[in-house]
Amino acid sequence: MGSAGDSAGAGGSVDRAATAARCSLIAFRQRTSEVIGQQLKPLLGERVAIDCFSFEKGLPHLGGYDLVLVSSVELTSEVARHVQPGTDILLVRRTIRKDSWVELMALPPGTKAMLVNDDQESAADTVALLYELGAKHLELVPVYPQMPQPPCLEMAITPGEAHLVPPGVKKILDIGDRVVDGSTVVDILSKFGLFDEAANKMVSRYMSETIPRSPGMMAALGRLAEMRTQIEQVVSLVRDGVVAFDAEGRVTLLNRRAEAIVGRQAWAALGLPVGELLPGVELEEVLNQGVSVHDILVRQAGKNLVVSKAPLSREGNVVGGVITLREASEIEQLEARLRAELRGKGHVAKYSFTDIVGNSPAMRAVLEQARKMAAGSSAVLILGESGTGKELLAHAIHNASARRSFPFVPVNCAALPETLLESELFGYEEGAFTGARRGGKAGFFEEAHRGTIFLDEIGDMPLRLQARLLRVLQEKEIVRVGGTRVIPVDVRVIAASNRDLSRLVEEGQFRSDLYYRLNVLPLYVPPLRERKEDIILLAQHFLRARRSRMRLTEQVLQAFLRYHWPGNVRELENCIEYLINVVEGDPTIQDLPVHIRGSVARSASPGALVRDPQALALLQRLGEAEHGGRRLGRRSLARSGLGLSEHEVRVLLKKLESAGLVRIGRGRSGTHLTPAGKELLAVPPAGGTGAEGLTGGSR
């Protein structure tokens, strides 16, 4: 395509930098294209640039135009081959001038005349236009230069084509070139979002001064009026109060809810400065900077209002804004009702990471890893023994995720029979089975939409349901039991199990494809016996949670450290609750539950300790020190190459002392072996010649 001025017709080239939209105008003849262009340019102003082309001079490629205008509907299919796909093509509707219309309507009824134009189509279009405008008292015959045998009539009517009238016609009425209908101007300006109040006044003036009443224009204005009425009805139905204002800050719209909030009717508020209507709202930042403001709290007329503001802009300039109002009490009531409904269904995560007690290195690593996993939406698989706190971690991960505002739905896969679990997970349609609720029921996956579903004891899910669950994870959609409708769901899955899922896969009891789909973010929770540093911390926490003043003696705490806790944290919590209920005062070892007391006694026996490699190594190191005439304290023992921390040394020494093998001295006196300990190790007296024993051979 050539430069902007090539074949541009009347008006010459256009400064593209100053225009917001580009149009091309296509007609059969170049003169028609130029006439229409000359009429449109003053109506559209500088905001729309028009280049004029014709089939008479040949069409270039019409790429780069925002809109293509055609003078006739017959041109549409041919023009479409020259424009980029997706470019809109608009027909330019034309009419006649008002003074010409007056002359036509003054002709006697029954007047027969030829309507002369440059081609058959244009002549027929003009006849149709005159009849549409109401000139049905005339009998018009289309005439054009290529017509083989024009009729012999005494009168001819022509739109600016008097030179084409056949010879011998006695009377010629030239109604002048057809002019662009106002509805076309409205369509073009509306296409580019330019039909503002100024454009409306211009089009109205053009219609009243230049053209007769146009049915096309009346239809366009009717559509605009209908659209405005519809918008006003929609705005009135909005629950929020809506106030619109113009660039000068004056109210242009007020819906019914806003009327109730501000205490004024719309007819009395229109045209008022918004500052007068809402004295608590500052408009400067919206008008001058185009800044949106969300959910600010304003006190007005004894009401707390939550106010949001957004600017309205056109071509980069702020031309007004919209304010939405809602009473804070309504929001509070809505939030309370929503939370009550969710709590009623148990669909709220109750715990966060701050509720998880644990300061051992192993637990700190687990919590750090879980916090990282919370940031994503991938499936999480939590593994660990029963009672380690897997569900607590699932709650915390959800509450730390971007889904925390949406439901958290826990499901115990081992607690329900297969048929019931299927209908609870995926829902069911009405009549799916005997006893099905009328209207059907949404399943847990639907209720967890945009939130998290926690599938506890996933290892106990039947194989048939595993296949359905796999499809949900892959396709992100469910089909209710007894139904065919596909329902999309956006749910994050957190699964948990105290079973070895990899072994279940090998045994054929768990689908391998489901296992790998769930095992995207694996999280292993260590048992309590592997994080003994947390035992005392957890015991004290459970006492505080129950507001108990009970004090755990050192003897009981040491018993807790010696016990292996097969039930993990849950068993420890149960033990504390047992002590609170049955013991008056501070408990002793004899007050502990029988199974814990017996296990502690067995673990504290010398034989059991000698079978403990760490306890045995510590006992041997103490024997070596005494053989050299020295006594070691906890710090020295921790630095003696045993690979034990001071805390671990302290725990083992307490066990050895309880078994009667060592005596822990105060201060710098260190720890020394008791006769029973020496006997166990067969340690010789200090400075002796050496003896065979667990510490080694002769020296």
Side-chain angles (χ1 to χ4, degrees):
M1 185 174 177
S3 64
D6 293 346
S7 304
S13 62
V14 179
D15 180 8
R16 302 295 179 211
T19 62
R22 297 184 61 197
C23 293
S24 59
L25 173 62
I26 314 298
F28 280 113
R29 297 174 57 203
Q30 184 65 25
R31 179 181 177 277
T32 302
S33 177
E34 292 174 357
V35 167
I36 295 174
Q38 288 174 336
Q39 294 173 359
L40 280 174
K41 287 176 182 178
L43 294 172
L44 299 178
E46 298 180 354
R47 294 180 291 182
V48 180
I50 299 179
D51 293 339
C52 302
F53 305 101
S54 68
F55 280 91
E56 183 179 57
K57 288 192 173 183
L59 292 184
H61 175 65
L62 299 174
Y65 286 98
D66 304 304
L67 180 65
V68 175
L69 307 173
V70 294
S71 64
S72 173
V73 69
E74 281 74 15
L75 294 176
T76 304
S77 59
E78 183 64 29
V79 168
R81 295 188 292 179
H82 294 265
V83 302
Q84 292 179 339
T87 304
D88 288 340
I89 300 176
L90 178 68
L91 173 66
V92 176
R93 293 178 292 276
R94 290 186 287 167
T95 185
I96 63 174
R97 294 182 180 276
K98 183 180 288 188
D99 52 355
S100 299
W101 176 248
V102 172
E103 291 186 64
L104 278 173
M105 295 304 291
L107 293 174
T111 299
K112 190 170 184 178
M114 58 181 74
L115 194 289
V116 182
N117 214 329
D118 54 357
D119 56 52
Q120 183 179 6
E121 180 194 349
S122 297
D125 284 348
T126 306
V127 170
L129 168 66
L130 296 180
Y131 283 160
E132 181 186 357
L133 289 174
K136 296 179 180 180
H137 64 297
L138 306 177
E139 186 177 343
L140 303 175
V141 180
V143 174
Y144 47 94
Q146 300 84 6
M147 194 172 185
Q149 185 64 43
C152 295
L153 298 172
E154 294 185 354
M155 184 175 183
I157 299 172
T158 181
E161 306 282 359
H163 62 286
L164 299 179
V165 175
V169 176
K170 295 180 179 180
K171 185 177 180 182
I172 299 175
L173 175 59
D174 190 344
I175 59 177
D177 291 322
R178 285 185 291 168
V179 294
V180 176
D181 191 277
S183 62
T184 296
V185 179
V186 172
D187 286 345
I188 296 173
L189 293 175
S190 299
K191 160 72 178 176
F192 299 118
L194 301 175
F195 192 72
D196 52 14
E197 188 64 28
N200 183 36
K201 292 179 180 178
M202 178 271 296
V203 173
S204 299
R205 184 170 58 252
Y206 170 71
M207 289 174 56
S208 62
E209 295 177 355
T210 308
I211 61 178
R213 181 177 180 179
S214 165
M217 187 64 202
M218 296 305 295
L221 292 177
R223 289 194 300 272
L224 287 175
E226 182 180 352
M227 186 182 301
R228 180 179 178 86
T229 300
Q230 187 177 16
I231 291 173
E232 289 177 347
Q233 289 177 347
V234 170
V235 171
S236 294
L237 293 174
V238 174
R239 290 180 59 88
D240 292 355
V242 178
V243 179
F245 56 90
D246 59 20
E248 297 178 353
R250 296 188 176 275
V251 176
T252 58
L253 181 144
L254 198 74
N255 73 346
R256 294 175 184 171
R257 184 63 187 135
E259 287 180 332
I261 292 174
V262 301
R264 293 203 190 195
Q265 293 183 312
W267 65 267
L270 295 180
L272 290 178
V274 179
E276 182 177 331
L277 189 69
L278 299 167
V281 179
E282 296 293 336
L283 298 175
E284 183 177 354
E285 58 186 353
V286 173
L287 293 173
N288 297 338
Q289 303 174 20
V291 176
S292 296
V293 178
H294 301 286
D295 299 333
I296 59 175
L297 191 63
V298 174
R299 181 77 176 173
Q300 182 177 328
K303 300 177 181 177
N304 289 322
L305 302 180
V306 178
V307 180
S308 296
K309 302 180 292 182
L312 296 176
S313 60
R314 185 180 298 117
E315 299 180 23
N317 299 317
V318 176
V319 295
V322 176
I323 298 175
T324 59
L325 312 167
R326 175 172 281 197
E327 292 189 39
S329 58
E330 291 183 7
I331 299 177
E332 292 170 356
Q333 292 170 5
L334 181 62
E335 182 180 2
R337 187 168 70 248
L338 178 61
R339 290 186 179 275
E341 290 177 1
L342 290 175
R343 287 194 185 97
K345 293 183 177 181
H347 293 350
V348 176
K350 302 174 184 177
Y351 309 106
S352 62
F353 284 115
T354 57
D355 296 313
I356 299 177
V357 178
N359 197 35
S360 62
M363 203 59 197
R364 286 201 302 268
V366 169
L367 294 176
E368 181 181 358
Q369 194 175 11
R371 285 189 176 94
K372 293 177 181 178
M373 293 177 178
S377 285
S378 301
V380 178
L381 180 60
I382 307 176
L383 299 174
E385 296 180 6
S386 179
T388 52
K390 298 185 293 296
E391 183 169 355
L392 201 66
L393 274 170
H395 282 252
I397 290 172
H398 173 79
N399 271 334
S401 73
R403 298 172 179 264
R404 57 184 168 271
S405 300
F406 299 99
F408 175 83
V409 182
V411 184
N412 191 320
C413 299
L416 300 173
E418 180 177 347
T419 53
L420 183 56
L421 179 61
E422 181 179 24
S423 62
E424 289 297 311
L425 280 175
F426 308 111
Y428 56 82
E429 296 291 357
E430 181 176 347
F433 50 82
T434 303
R437 180 188 300 178
R438 179 176 295 180
K441 178 179 178 294
F444 289 143
F445 271 98
E446 288 180 70
E447 292 181 354
H449 182 59
R450 299 184 68 187
T452 302
I453 189 168
F454 174 53
L455 302 176
D456 199 7
E457 306 298 347
I458 189 71
D460 294 302
M461 177 177 283
L463 281 169
R464 186 176 68 85
L465 293 190
Q466 291 179 27
R468 289 203 64 177
L469 175 59
L470 177 65
R471 178 169 180 81
V472 173
L473 297 179
Q474 290 176 334
E475 306 298 332
K476 306 294 185 184
E477 58 190 26
I478 61 106
V479 177
R480 291 183 179 181
V481 175
T484 58
R485 182 169 55 102
V486 175
I487 303 172
V489 290
D490 173 19
V491 177
R492 184 182 196 180
V493 174
I494 301 178
S497 179
N498 59 7
R499 305 178 68 182
D500 186 346
L501 294 185
S502 60
R503 190 180 69 184
L504 294 180
V505 169
E506 294 175 0
E507 296 172 352
Q509 299 181 47
F510 200 85
R511 294 180 62 105
S512 59
D513 44 8
L514 177 59
Y515 172 68
Y516 293 116
R517 178 69 67 172
L518 293 172
N519 197 33
V520 180
L521 299 176
L523 187 64
Y524 173 72
V525 186
L528 195 54
R529 63 182 175 274
E530 293 181 9
R531 49 186 178 106
K532 291 194 172 183
E533 299 94 329
D534 294 334
I535 292 176
I536 296 176
L537 196 65
L538 284 164
Q540 301 291 358
H541 167 74
F542 293 140
L543 285 172
R544 288 194 300 271
R546 288 159 178 77
R547 302 180 183 276
S548 173
R549 296 183 179 182
M550 177 179 289
R551 187 179 66 87
L552 298 177
T553 63
E554 185 69 18
Q555 189 182 28
V556 169
L557 292 176
Q558 290 305 313
F560 281 176
L561 294 174
R562 289 198 297 271
Y563 184 56
H564 65 290
W565 299 107
N568 293 293
V569 179
R570 186 182 294 120
E571 185 182 9
L572 175 59
E573 184 176 15
N574 291 344
C575 177
I576 295 297
E577 192 162 354
Y578 169 84
L579 294 175
I580 292 174
N581 281 279
V582 303
V583 177
E584 294 182 5
D586 298 335
T588 66
I589 290 183
Q590 297 305 313
D591 295 319
L592 295 176
V594 174
H595 68 285
I596 295 179
R597 188 169 67 244
S599 178
V600 169
R602 288 191 298 273
S603 67
S605 66
L609 284 171
V610 170
R611 288 192 297 272
D612 183 338
Q614 289 183 331
L616 179 59
L618 188 63
L619 200 63
Q620 289 174 331
R621 189 57 50 88
L622 288 170
E624 291 171 358
E626 289 206 11
H627 181 70
R630 296 177 295 115
R631 289 184 181 178
L632 300 177
R634 287 196 306 269
R635 184 172 300 175
S636 299
L637 286 167
R639 296 175 179 175
S640 64
L642 294 175
L644 299 172
S645 66
E646 281 193 50
H647 178 74
E648 290 171 327
V649 168
R650 180 175 180 272
V651 171
L652 287 174
L653 287 177
K654 288 289 186 182
K655 288 183 178 181
L656 292 170
E657 186 178 47
S658 298
L661 299 177
V662 302
R663 183 171 293 111
I664 302 174
R666 294 181 178 275
R668 298 178 179 271
S669 60
T671 299
H672 63 274
L673 298 176
T674 64
K678 292 177 182 180
E679 181 180 350
L680 183 64
L681 291 177
V683 178
T689 58
E692 295 295 324
L694 292 177
T695 58
S698 61
R699 294 183 181 269

